[in-house]
Amino acid sequence: MAQVTTGIRGILSRSKVYECFRDILGGQRATRLFVSEFIRPVPGMRILDIGCGPAGLLDFLPRDVQYHGVDINEKYVTSGRQKYGHRATFQCCAMEDAAAEAFRDYDLVLGMGFLHHLDQKPAERFFALAAQALRPGGRCLTVDSCLVPGQHPVARLLIAMDRGRNPRTAGDSVALARTAFAEVAHTVRHDLLRLPYTHIIMECQQHGRQER
């Protein structure tokens, strides 16, 4: 993974620090919006969250979804298990090393704030694994930082300071998704956090694969 894990940015590898920083920036509001507008959960939905972090997303999901989180950070996974182990399952490993049975028949695969931590080839593998894991009609959703012309200088500074070292333009992000998915819809948002910041949200599916 292409990320900085030393110095002041390395502190964010600690679950409590990461969650506190996220909430200060307005992450709870952003997550609530993402769930209602993009995830659109339904009873029994099977969700695979790759790069799940401490799995705070579960605070905003119905209790009857089936959630499986995968993350390489042991501190994040331990925190997720302690808080949500009664309603979710977790694996602490790189996405390529997750058990094969964990990547089957999902309604939704998530990559939230994950892609900018990956170089080109690992990012392509993420989308390939997502496509493999989805049932017919399933969706892959990602939300990540985005570089756009003329964006607020504070947004560009925050993106440059991130632990992940691979921020991308909207065009580059969509091109990545299209290495595995035929249909990629995307939207760029500048209003999800309290501070100026730019996100790209992508919703990916295959041609002719309808929701059941």
Side-chain angles (χ1 to χ4, degrees), residues 25-50:
L25 292 181
Q28 291 198 23
R29 172 185 170 275
T31 303
R32 190 175 292 110
L33 182 149
F34 183 71
V35 169
S36 64
E37 293 191 15
F38 294 94
I39 293 181
R40 304 186 296 275
V42 296
M45 176 182 269
R46 299 191 71 231
I47 297 174
L48 172 63
D49 191 354
I50 300 177

mmCIF file with all atom_site columns, all heavy atoms in Angstrom, residues 25-50:
data_model
loop_
_atom_site.group_PDB
_atom_site.id
_atom_site.type_symbol
_atom_site.label_atom_id
_atom_site.label_alt_id
_atom_site.label_comp_id
_atom_site.label_asym_id
_atom_site.label_entity_id
_atom_site.label_seq_id
_atom_site.pdbx_PDB_ins_code
_atom_site.Cartn_x
_atom_site.Cartn_y
_atom_site.Cartn_z
_atom_site.occupancy
_atom_site.B_iso_or_equiv
_atom_site.pdbx_formal_charge
_atom_site.auth_seq_id
_atom_site.auth_comp_id
_atom_site.auth_asym_id
_atom_site.auth_atom_id
_atom_site.pdbx_PDB_model_num
ATOM 1   N N   . LEU A 1 25 ? -14.031 16.452  11.390 1.00 0.00 ? 25 LEU A N   1
ATOM 2   C CA  . LEU A 1 25 ? -14.183 16.957  10.026 1.00 0.00 ? 25 LEU A CA  1
ATOM 3   C C   . LEU A 1 25 ? -15.611 16.861  9.509  1.00 0.00 ? 25 LEU A C   1
ATOM 4   O O   . LEU A 1 25 ? -15.914 17.398  8.437  1.00 0.00 ? 25 LEU A O   1
ATOM 5   C CB  . LEU A 1 25 ? -13.254 16.190  9.080  1.00 0.00 ? 25 LEU A CB  1
ATOM 6   C CG  . LEU A 1 25 ? -11.757 16.409  9.256  1.00 0.00 ? 25 LEU A CG  1
ATOM 7   C CD1 . LEU A 1 25 ? -10.979 15.606  8.232  1.00 0.00 ? 25 LEU A CD1 1
ATOM 8   C CD2 . LEU A 1 25 ? -11.406 17.892  9.142  1.00 0.00 ? 25 LEU A CD2 1
ATOM 9   N N   . GLY A 1 26 ? -16.493 16.197  10.250 1.00 0.00 ? 26 GLY A N   1
ATOM 10  C CA  . GLY A 1 26 ? -17.874 16.041  9.797  1.00 0.00 ? 26 GLY A CA  1
ATOM 11  C C   . GLY A 1 26 ? -18.138 14.699  9.155  1.00 0.00 ? 26 GLY A C   1
ATOM 12  O O   . GLY A 1 26 ? -19.078 14.564  8.359  1.00 0.00 ? 26 GLY A O   1
ATOM 13  N N   . GLY A 1 27 ? -17.340 13.702  9.493  1.00 0.00 ? 27 GLY A N   1
ATOM 14  C CA  . GLY A 1 27 ? -17.467 12.398  8.869  1.00 0.00 ? 27 GLY A CA  1
ATOM 15  C C   . GLY A 1 27 ? -18.791 11.708  9.133  1.00 0.00 ? 27 GLY A C   1
ATOM 16  O O   . GLY A 1 27 ? -19.284 10.959  8.284  1.00 0.00 ? 27 GLY A O   1
ATOM 17  N N   . GLN A 1 28 ? -19.406 11.960  10.288 1.00 0.00 ? 28 GLN A N   1
ATOM 18  C CA  . GLN A 1 28 ? -20.677 11.296  10.581 1.00 0.00 ? 28 GLN A CA  1
ATOM 19  C C   . GLN A 1 28 ? -21.765 11.772  9.633  1.00 0.00 ? 28 GLN A C   1
ATOM 20  O O   . GLN A 1 28 ? -22.546 10.972  9.109  1.00 0.00 ? 28 GLN A O   1
ATOM 21  C CB  . GLN A 1 28 ? -21.074 11.544  12.035 1.00 0.00 ? 28 GLN A CB  1
ATOM 22  C CG  . GLN A 1 28 ? -20.176 10.830  13.025 1.00 0.00 ? 28 GLN A CG  1
ATOM 23  C CD  . GLN A 1 28 ? -20.812 10.716  14.401 1.00 0.00 ? 28 GLN A CD  1
ATOM 24  O OE1 . GLN A 1 28 ? -22.026 10.778  14.561 1.00 0.00 ? 28 GLN A OE1 1
ATOM 25  N NE2 . GLN A 1 28 ? -19.983 10.559  15.413 1.00 0.00 ? 28 GLN A NE2 1
ATOM 26  N N   . ARG A 1 29 ? -21.825 13.064  9.402  1.00 0.00 ? 29 ARG A N   1
ATOM 27  C CA  . ARG A 1 29 ? -22.811 13.600  8.454  1.00 0.00 ? 29 ARG A CA  1
ATOM 28  C C   . ARG A 1 29 ? -22.569 13.039  7.060  1.00 0.00 ? 29 ARG A C   1
ATOM 29  O O   . ARG A 1 29 ? -23.512 12.640  6.356  1.00 0.00 ? 29 ARG A O   1
ATOM 30  C CB  . ARG A 1 29 ? -22.727 15.119  8.421  1.00 0.00 ? 29 ARG A CB  1
ATOM 31  C CG  . ARG A 1 29 ? -23.580 15.765  7.325  1.00 0.00 ? 29 ARG A CG  1
ATOM 32  C CD  . ARG A 1 29 ? -23.354 17.268  7.259  1.00 0.00 ? 29 ARG A CD  1
ATOM 33  N NE  . ARG A 1 29 ? -23.977 17.848  6.089  1.00 0.00 ? 29 ARG A NE  1
ATOM 34  C CZ  . ARG A 1 29 ? -23.415 17.893  4.879  1.00 0.00 ? 29 ARG A CZ  1
ATOM 35  N NH1 . ARG A 1 29 ? -22.212 17.374  4.702  1.00 0.00 ? 29 ARG A NH1 1
ATOM 36  N NH2 . ARG A 1 29 ? -24.047 18.449  3.862  1.00 0.00 ? 29 ARG A NH2 1
ATOM 37  N N   . ALA A 1 30 ? -21.303 12.998  6.648  1.00 0.00 ? 30 ALA A N   1
ATOM 38  C CA  . ALA A 1 30 ? -20.972 12.486  5.320  1.00 0.00 ? 30 ALA A CA  1
ATOM 39  C C   . ALA A 1 30 ? -21.362 11.013  5.191  1.00 0.00 ? 30 ALA A C   1
ATOM 40  O O   . ALA A 1 30 ? -21.899 10.594  4.158  1.00 0.00 ? 30 ALA A O   1
ATOM 41  C CB  . ALA A 1 30 ? -19.484 12.674  5.053  1.00 0.00 ? 30 ALA A CB  1
ATOM 42  N N   . THR A 1 31 ? -21.109 10.225  6.231  1.00 0.00 ? 31 THR A N   1
ATOM 43  C CA  . THR A 1 31 ? -21.438 8.808   6.183  1.00 0.00 ? 31 THR A CA  1
ATOM 44  C C   . THR A 1 31 ? -22.943 8.602   6.134  1.00 0.00 ? 31 THR A C   1
ATOM 45  O O   . THR A 1 31 ? -23.442 7.756   5.380  1.00 0.00 ? 31 THR A O   1
ATOM 46  C CB  . THR A 1 31 ? -20.847 8.069   7.397  1.00 0.00 ? 31 THR A CB  1
ATOM 47  O OG1 . THR A 1 31 ? -19.439 8.278   7.430  1.00 0.00 ? 31 THR A OG1 1
ATOM 48  C CG2 . THR A 1 31 ? -21.136 6.583   7.316  1.00 0.00 ? 31 THR A CG2 1
ATOM 49  N N   . ARG A 1 32 ? -23.683 9.373   6.913  1.00 0.00 ? 32 ARG A N   1
ATOM 50  C CA  . ARG A 1 32 ? -25.144 9.269   6.908  1.00 0.00 ? 32 ARG A CA  1
ATOM 51  C C   . ARG A 1 32 ? -25.695 9.559   5.513  1.00 0.00 ? 32 ARG A C   1
ATOM 52  O O   . ARG A 1 32 ? -26.584 8.854   5.010  1.00 0.00 ? 32 ARG A O   1
ATOM 53  C CB  . ARG A 1 32 ? -25.730 10.234  7.938  1.00 0.00 ? 32 ARG A CB  1
ATOM 54  C CG  . ARG A 1 32 ? -27.221 10.045  8.185  1.00 0.00 ? 32 ARG A CG  1
ATOM 55  C CD  . ARG A 1 32 ? -27.700 10.949  9.305  1.00 0.00 ? 32 ARG A CD  1
ATOM 56  N NE  . ARG A 1 32 ? -27.144 10.549  10.599 1.00 0.00 ? 32 ARG A NE  1
ATOM 57  C CZ  . ARG A 1 32 ? -26.238 11.253  11.277 1.00 0.00 ? 32 ARG A CZ  1
ATOM 58  N NH1 . ARG A 1 32 ? -25.767 12.384  10.789 1.00 0.00 ? 32 ARG A NH1 1
ATOM 59  N NH2 . ARG A 1 32 ? -25.798 10.813  12.445 1.00 0.00 ? 32 ARG A NH2 1
ATOM 60  N N   . LEU A 1 33 ? -25.172 10.579  4.866  1.00 0.00 ? 33 LEU A N   1
ATOM 61  C CA  . LEU A 1 33 ? -25.599 10.919  3.512  1.00 0.00 ? 33 LEU A CA  1
ATOM 62  C C   . LEU A 1 33 ? -25.229 9.806   2.537  1.00 0.00 ? 33 LEU A C   1
ATOM 63  O O   . LEU A 1 33 ? -26.033 9.420   1.672  1.00 0.00 ? 33 LEU A O   1
ATOM 64  C CB  . LEU A 1 33 ? -24.964 12.237  3.086  1.00 0.00 ? 33 LEU A CB  1
ATOM 65  C CG  . LEU A 1 33 ? -25.322 12.792  1.708  1.00 0.00 ? 33 LEU A CG  1
ATOM 66  C CD1 . LEU A 1 33 ? -25.275 14.323  1.727  1.00 0.00 ? 33 LEU A CD1 1
ATOM 67  C CD2 . LEU A 1 33 ? -24.385 12.278  0.615  1.00 0.00 ? 33 LEU A CD2 1
ATOM 68  N N   . PHE A 1 34 ? -24.013 9.277   2.655  1.00 0.00 ? 34 PHE A N   1
ATOM 69  C CA  . PHE A 1 34 ? -23.556 8.218   1.762  1.00 0.00 ? 34 PHE A CA  1
ATOM 70  C C   . PHE A 1 34 ? -24.447 6.990   1.891  1.00 0.00 ? 34 PHE A C   1
ATOM 71  O O   . PHE A 1 34 ? -24.803 6.359   0.886  1.00 0.00 ? 34 PHE A O   1
ATOM 72  C CB  . PHE A 1 34 ? -22.106 7.870   2.092  1.00 0.00 ? 34 PHE A CB  1
ATOM 73  C CG  . PHE A 1 34 ? -21.488 6.837   1.195  1.00 0.00 ? 34 PHE A CG  1
ATOM 74  C CD1 . PHE A 1 34 ? -21.173 7.137   -0.109 1.00 0.00 ? 34 PHE A CD1 1
ATOM 75  C CD2 . PHE A 1 34 ? -21.214 5.562   1.672  1.00 0.00 ? 34 PHE A CD2 1
ATOM 76  C CE1 . PHE A 1 34 ? -20.589 6.181   -0.951 1.00 0.00 ? 34 PHE A CE1 1
ATOM 77  C CE2 . PHE A 1 34 ? -20.629 4.605   0.851  1.00 0.00 ? 34 PHE A CE2 1
ATOM 78  C CZ  . PHE A 1 34 ? -20.324 4.923   -0.463 1.00 0.00 ? 34 PHE A CZ  1
ATOM 79  N N   . VAL A 1 35 ? -24.830 6.644   3.110  1.00 0.00 ? 35 VAL A N   1
ATOM 80  C CA  . VAL A 1 35 ? -25.689 5.479   3.330  1.00 0.00 ? 35 VAL A CA  1
ATOM 81  C C   . VAL A 1 35 ? -27.062 5.694   2.695  1.00 0.00 ? 35 VAL A C   1
ATOM 82  O O   . VAL A 1 35 ? -27.576 4.829   1.970  1.00 0.00 ? 35 VAL A O   1
ATOM 83  C CB  . VAL A 1 35 ? -25.812 5.169   4.828  1.00 0.00 ? 35 VAL A CB  1
ATOM 84  C CG1 . VAL A 1 35 ? -26.916 4.134   5.087  1.00 0.00 ? 35 VAL A CG1 1
ATOM 85  C CG2 . VAL A 1 35 ? -24.489 4.662   5.378  1.00 0.00 ? 35 VAL A CG2 1
ATOM 86  N N   . SER A 1 36 ? -27.664 6.849   2.943  1.00 0.00 ? 36 SER A N   1
ATOM 87  C CA  . SER A 1 36 ? -29.029 7.070   2.473  1.00 0.00 ? 36 SER A CA  1
ATOM 88  C C   . SER A 1 36 ? -29.108 7.264   0.964  1.00 0.00 ? 36 SER A C   1
ATOM 89  O O   . SER A 1 36 ? -30.037 6.770   0.311  1.00 0.00 ? 36 SER A O   1
ATOM 90  C CB  . SER A 1 36 ? -29.645 8.279   3.184  1.00 0.00 ? 36 SER A CB  1
ATOM 91  O OG  . SER A 1 36 ? -28.934 9.469   2.866  1.00 0.00 ? 36 SER A OG  1
ATOM 92  N N   . GLU A 1 37 ? -28.143 7.947   0.373  1.00 0.00 ? 37 GLU A N   1
ATOM 93  C CA  . GLU A 1 37 ? -28.216 8.279   -1.048 1.00 0.00 ? 37 GLU A CA  1
ATOM 94  C C   . GLU A 1 37 ? -27.574 7.229   -1.949 1.00 0.00 ? 37 GLU A C   1
ATOM 95  O O   . GLU A 1 37 ? -27.981 7.078   -3.111 1.00 0.00 ? 37 GLU A O   1
ATOM 96  C CB  . GLU A 1 37 ? -27.563 9.636   -1.311 1.00 0.00 ? 37 GLU A CB  1
ATOM 97  C CG  . GLU A 1 37 ? -28.306 10.803  -0.703 1.00 0.00 ? 37 GLU A CG  1
ATOM 98  C CD  . GLU A 1 37 ? -27.789 12.138  -1.202 1.00 0.00 ? 37 GLU A CD  1
ATOM 99  O OE1 . GLU A 1 37 ? -27.061 12.179  -2.207 1.00 0.00 ? 37 GLU A OE1 1
ATOM 100 O OE2 . GLU A 1 37 ? -28.128 13.164  -0.573 1.00 0.00 ? 37 GLU A OE2 1
ATOM 101 N N   . PHE A 1 38 ? -26.581 6.504   -1.440 1.00 0.00 ? 38 PHE A N   1
ATOM 102 C CA  . PHE A 1 38 ? -25.829 5.607   -2.314 1.00 0.00 ? 38 PHE A CA  1
ATOM 103 C C   . PHE A 1 38 ? -25.913 4.139   -1.901 1.00 0.00 ? 38 PHE A C   1
ATOM 104 O O   . PHE A 1 38 ? -26.140 3.269   -2.740 1.00 0.00 ? 38 PHE A O   1
ATOM 105 C CB  . PHE A 1 38 ? -24.369 6.061   -2.397 1.00 0.00 ? 38 PHE A CB  1
ATOM 106 C CG  . PHE A 1 38 ? -24.207 7.386   -3.081 1.00 0.00 ? 38 PHE A CG  1
ATOM 107 C CD1 . PHE A 1 38 ? -24.166 8.564   -2.343 1.00 0.00 ? 38 PHE A CD1 1
ATOM 108 C CD2 . PHE A 1 38 ? -24.113 7.462   -4.459 1.00 0.00 ? 38 PHE A CD2 1
ATOM 109 C CE1 . PHE A 1 38 ? -24.029 9.790   -2.964 1.00 0.00 ? 38 PHE A CE1 1
ATOM 110 C CE2 . PHE A 1 38 ? -23.968 8.682   -5.093 1.00 0.00 ? 38 PHE A CE2 1
ATOM 111 C CZ  . PHE A 1 38 ? -23.932 9.852   -4.352 1.00 0.00 ? 38 PHE A CZ  1
ATOM 112 N N   . ILE A 1 39 ? -25.719 3.830   -0.627 1.00 0.00 ? 39 ILE A N   1
ATOM 113 C CA  . ILE A 1 39 ? -25.832 2.430   -0.216 1.00 0.00 ? 39 ILE A CA  1
ATOM 114 C C   . ILE A 1 39 ? -27.275 1.961   -0.302 1.00 0.00 ? 39 ILE A C   1
ATOM 115 O O   . ILE A 1 39 ? -27.566 0.890   -0.795 1.00 0.00 ? 39 ILE A O   1
ATOM 116 C CB  . ILE A 1 39 ? -25.270 2.224   1.206  1.00 0.00 ? 39 ILE A CB  1
ATOM 117 C CG1 . ILE A 1 39 ? -23.753 2.462   1.207  1.00 0.00 ? 39 ILE A CG1 1
ATOM 118 C CG2 . ILE A 1 39 ? -25.590 0.804   1.714  1.00 0.00 ? 39 ILE A CG2 1
ATOM 119 C CD1 . ILE A 1 39 ? -23.102 2.269   2.565  1.00 0.00 ? 39 ILE A CD1 1
ATOM 120 N N   . ARG A 1 40 ? -28.196 2.753   0.193  1.00 0.00 ? 40 ARG A N   1
ATOM 121 C CA  . ARG A 1 40 ? -29.625 2.445   0.174  1.00 0.00 ? 40 ARG A CA  1
ATOM 122 C C   . ARG A 1 40 ? -29.875 1.030   0.725  1.00 0.00 ? 40 ARG A C   1
ATOM 123 O O   . ARG A 1 40 ? -30.331 0.132   0.011  1.00 0.00 ? 40 ARG A O   1
ATOM 124 C CB  . ARG A 1 40 ? -30.193 2.585   -1.249 1.00 0.00 ? 40 ARG A CB  1
ATOM 125 C CG  . ARG A 1 40 ? -29.960 3.948   -1.866 1.00 0.00 ? 40 ARG A CG  1
ATOM 126 C CD  . ARG A 1 40 ? -30.652 4.094   -3.215 1.00 0.00 ? 40 ARG A CD  1
ATOM 127 N NE  . ARG A 1 40 ? -30.129 3.185   -4.218 1.00 0.00 ? 40 ARG A NE  1
ATOM 128 C CZ  . ARG A 1 40 ? -29.056 3.429   -4.981 1.00 0.00 ? 40 ARG A CZ  1
ATOM 129 N NH1 . ARG A 1 40 ? -28.405 4.583   -4.863 1.00 0.00 ? 40 ARG A NH1 1
ATOM 130 N NH2 . ARG A 1 40 ? -28.651 2.548   -5.881 1.00 0.00 ? 40 ARG A NH2 1
ATOM 131 N N   . PRO A 1 41 ? -29.563 0.804   2.001  1.00 0.00 ? 41 PRO A N   1
ATOM 132 C CA  . PRO A 1 41 ? -29.631 -0.550  2.558  1.00 0.00 ? 41 PRO A CA  1
ATOM 133 C C   . PRO A 1 41 ? -31.044 -1.091  2.611  1.00 0.00 ? 41 PRO A C   1
ATOM 134 O O   . PRO A 1 41 ? -32.018 -0.351  2.786  1.00 0.00 ? 41 PRO A O   1
ATOM 135 C CB  . PRO A 1 41 ? -29.053 -0.373  3.967  1.00 0.00 ? 41 PRO A CB  1
ATOM 136 C CG  . PRO A 1 41 ? -29.269 1.069   4.294  1.00 0.00 ? 41 PRO A CG  1
ATOM 137 C CD  . PRO A 1 41 ? -29.148 1.810   2.995  1.00 0.00 ? 41 PRO A CD  1
ATOM 138 N N   . VAL A 1 42 ? -31.150 -2.405  2.426  1.00 0.00 ? 42 VAL A N   1
ATOM 139 C CA  . VAL A 1 42 ? -32.418 -3.116  2.550  1.00 0.00 ? 42 VAL A CA  1
ATOM 140 C C   . VAL A 1 42 ? -32.187 -4.308  3.478  1.00 0.00 ? 42 VAL A C   1
ATOM 141 O O   . VAL A 1 42 ? -31.050 -4.750  3.667  1.00 0.00 ? 42 VAL A O   1
ATOM 142 C CB  . VAL A 1 42 ? -32.931 -3.606  1.176  1.00 0.00 ? 42 VAL A CB  1
ATOM 143 C CG1 . VAL A 1 42 ? -33.239 -2.428  0.261  1.00 0.00 ? 42 VAL A CG1 1
ATOM 144 C CG2 . VAL A 1 42 ? -31.915 -4.536  0.511  1.00 0.00 ? 42 VAL A CG2 1
ATOM 145 N N   . PRO A 1 43 ? -33.252 -4.844  4.090  1.00 0.00 ? 43 PRO A N   1
ATOM 146 C CA  . PRO A 1 43 ? -33.086 -5.974  5.006  1.00 0.00 ? 43 PRO A CA  1
ATOM 147 C C   . PRO A 1 43 ? -32.362 -7.147  4.334  1.00 0.00 ? 43 PRO A C   1
ATOM 148 O O   . PRO A 1 43 ? -32.669 -7.525  3.204  1.00 0.00 ? 43 PRO A O   1
ATOM 149 C CB  . PRO A 1 43 ? -34.532 -6.346  5.372  1.00 0.00 ? 43 PRO A CB  1
ATOM 150 C CG  . PRO A 1 43 ? -35.295 -5.070  5.205  1.00 0.00 ? 43 PRO A CG  1
ATOM 151 C CD  . PRO A 1 43 ? -34.656 -4.377  4.039  1.00 0.00 ? 43 PRO A CD  1
ATOM 152 N N   . GLY A 1 44 ? -31.386 -7.696  5.053  1.00 0.00 ? 44 GLY A N   1
ATOM 153 C CA  . GLY A 1 44 ? -30.662 -8.855  4.570  1.00 0.00 ? 44 GLY A CA  1
ATOM 154 C C   . GLY A 1 44 ? -29.564 -8.555  3.565  1.00 0.00 ? 44 GLY A C   1
ATOM 155 O O   . GLY A 1 44 ? -28.900 -9.483  3.089  1.00 0.00 ? 44 GLY A O   1
ATOM 156 N N   . MET A 1 45 ? -29.345 -7.292  3.235  1.00 0.00 ? 45 MET A N   1
ATOM 157 C CA  . MET A 1 45 ? -28.298 -6.947  2.266  1.00 0.00 ? 45 MET A CA  1
ATOM 158 C C   . MET A 1 45 ? -26.951 -7.474  2.733  1.00 0.00 ? 45 MET A C   1
ATOM 159 O O   . MET A 1 45 ? -26.561 -7.314  3.883  1.00 0.00 ? 45 MET A O   1
ATOM 160 C CB  . MET A 1 45 ? -28.231 -5.430  2.086  1.00 0.00 ? 45 MET A CB  1
ATOM 161 C CG  . MET A 1 45 ? -27.108 -4.952  1.174  1.00 0.00 ? 45 MET A CG  1
ATOM 162 S SD  . MET A 1 45 ? -27.045 -3.128  1.032  1.00 0.00 ? 45 MET A SD  1
ATOM 163 C CE  . MET A 1 45 ? -28.102 -2.884  -0.381 1.00 0.00 ? 45 MET A CE  1
ATOM 164 N N   . ARG A 1 46 ? -26.205 -8.098  1.810  1.00 0.00 ? 46 ARG A N   1
ATOM 165 C CA  . ARG A 1 46 ? -24.873 -8.618  2.108  1.00 0.00 ? 46 ARG A CA  1
ATOM 166 C C   . ARG A 1 46 ? -23.838 -7.608  1.630  1.00 0.00 ? 46 ARG A C   1
ATOM 167 O O   . ARG A 1 46 ? -23.768 -7.295  0.433  1.00 0.00 ? 46 ARG A O   1
ATOM 168 C CB  . ARG A 1 46 ? -24.650 -9.979  1.448  1.00 0.00 ? 46 ARG A CB  1
ATOM 169 C CG  . ARG A 1 46 ? -25.616 -11.057 1.915  1.00 0.00 ? 46 ARG A CG  1
ATOM 170 C CD  . ARG A 1 46 ? -25.173 -12.437 1.422  1.00 0.00 ? 46 ARG A CD  1
ATOM 171 N NE  . ARG A 1 46 ? -23.969 -12.882 2.135  1.00 0.00 ? 46 ARG A NE  1
ATOM 172 C CZ  . ARG A 1 46 ? -22.884 -13.326 1.551  1.00 0.00 ? 46 ARG A CZ  1
ATOM 173 N NH1 . ARG A 1 46 ? -22.783 -13.368 0.222  1.00 0.00 ? 46 ARG A NH1 1
ATOM 174 N NH2 . ARG A 1 46 ? -21.840 -13.731 2.276  1.00 0.00 ? 46 ARG A NH2 1
ATOM 175 N N   . ILE A 1 47 ? -23.026 -7.111  2.566  1.00 0.00 ? 47 ILE A N   1
ATOM 176 C CA  . ILE A 1 47 ? -22.069 -6.045  2.281  1.00 0.00 ? 47 ILE A CA  1
ATOM 177 C C   . ILE A 1 47 ? -20.654 -6.520  2.589  1.00 0.00 ? 47 ILE A C   1
ATOM 178 O O   . ILE A 1 47 ? -20.375 -7.019  3.679  1.00 0.00 ? 47 ILE A O   1
ATOM 179 C CB  . ILE A 1 47 ? -22.383 -4.791  3.113  1.00 0.00 ? 47 ILE A CB  1
ATOM 180 C CG1 . ILE A 1 47 ? -23.754 -4.232  2.738  1.00 0.00 ? 47 ILE A CG1 1
ATOM 181 C CG2 . ILE A 1 47 ? -21.297 -3.723  2.915  1.00 0.00 ? 47 ILE A CG2 1
ATOM 182 C CD1 . ILE A 1 47 ? -24.200 -3.065  3.616  1.00 0.00 ? 47 ILE A CD1 1
ATOM 183 N N   . LEU A 1 48 ? -19.763 -6.355  1.620  1.00 0.00 ? 48 LEU A N   1
ATOM 184 C CA  . LEU A 1 48 ? -18.337 -6.590  1.813  1.00 0.00 ? 48 LEU A CA  1
ATOM 185 C C   . LEU A 1 48 ? -17.637 -5.242  1.787  1.00 0.00 ? 48 LEU A C   1
ATOM 186 O O   . LEU A 1 48 ? -17.716 -4.512  0.800  1.00 0.00 ? 48 LEU A O   1
ATOM 187 C CB  . LEU A 1 48 ? -17.790 -7.488  0.699  1.00 0.00 ? 48 LEU A CB  1
ATOM 188 C CG  . LEU A 1 48 ? -16.270 -7.678  0.646  1.00 0.00 ? 48 LEU A CG  1
ATOM 189 C CD1 . LEU A 1 48 ? -15.760 -8.367  1.912  1.00 0.00 ? 48 LEU A CD1 1
ATOM 190 C CD2 . LEU A 1 48 ? -15.871 -8.477  -0.597 1.00 0.00 ? 48 LEU A CD2 1
ATOM 191 N N   . ASP A 1 49 ? -16.965 -4.898  2.874  1.00 0.00 ? 49 ASP A N   1
ATOM 192 C CA  . ASP A 1 49 ? -16.290 -3.606  3.011  1.00 0.00 ? 49 ASP A CA  1
ATOM 193 C C   . ASP A 1 49 ? -14.782 -3.851  3.025  1.00 0.00 ? 49 ASP A C   1
ATOM 194 O O   . ASP A 1 49 ? -14.231 -4.342  4.008  1.00 0.00 ? 49 ASP A O   1
ATOM 195 C CB  . ASP A 1 49 ? -16.751 -2.932  4.303  1.00 0.00 ? 49 ASP A CB  1
ATOM 196 C CG  . ASP A 1 49 ? -16.306 -1.474  4.407  1.00 0.00 ? 49 ASP A CG  1
ATOM 197 O OD1 . ASP A 1 49 ? -15.544 -1.023  3.537  1.00 0.00 ? 49 ASP A OD1 1
ATOM 198 O OD2 . ASP A 1 49 ? -16.740 -0.801  5.362  1.00 0.00 ? 49 ASP A OD2 1
ATOM 199 N N   . ILE A 1 50 ? -14.118 -3.520  1.910  1.00 0.00 ? 50 ILE A N   1
ATOM 200 C CA  . ILE A 1 50 ? -12.680 -3.738  1.775  1.00 0.00 ? 50 ILE A CA  1
ATOM 201 C C   . ILE A 1 50 ? -11.956 -2.458  2.189  1.00 0.00 ? 50 ILE A C   1
ATOM 202 O O   . ILE A 1 50 ? -12.226 -1.385  1.663  1.00 0.00 ? 50 ILE A O   1
ATOM 203 C CB  . ILE A 1 50 ? -12.309 -4.129  0.338  1.00 0.00 ? 50 ILE A CB  1
ATOM 204 C CG1 . ILE A 1 50 ? -13.032 -5.431  -0.057 1.00 0.00 ? 50 ILE A CG1 1
ATOM 205 C CG2 . ILE A 1 50 ? -10.803 -4.310  0.198  1.00 0.00 ? 50 ILE A CG2 1
ATOM 206 C CD1 . ILE A 1 50 ? -12.781 -5.872  -1.488 1.00 0.00 ? 50 ILE A CD1 1
#
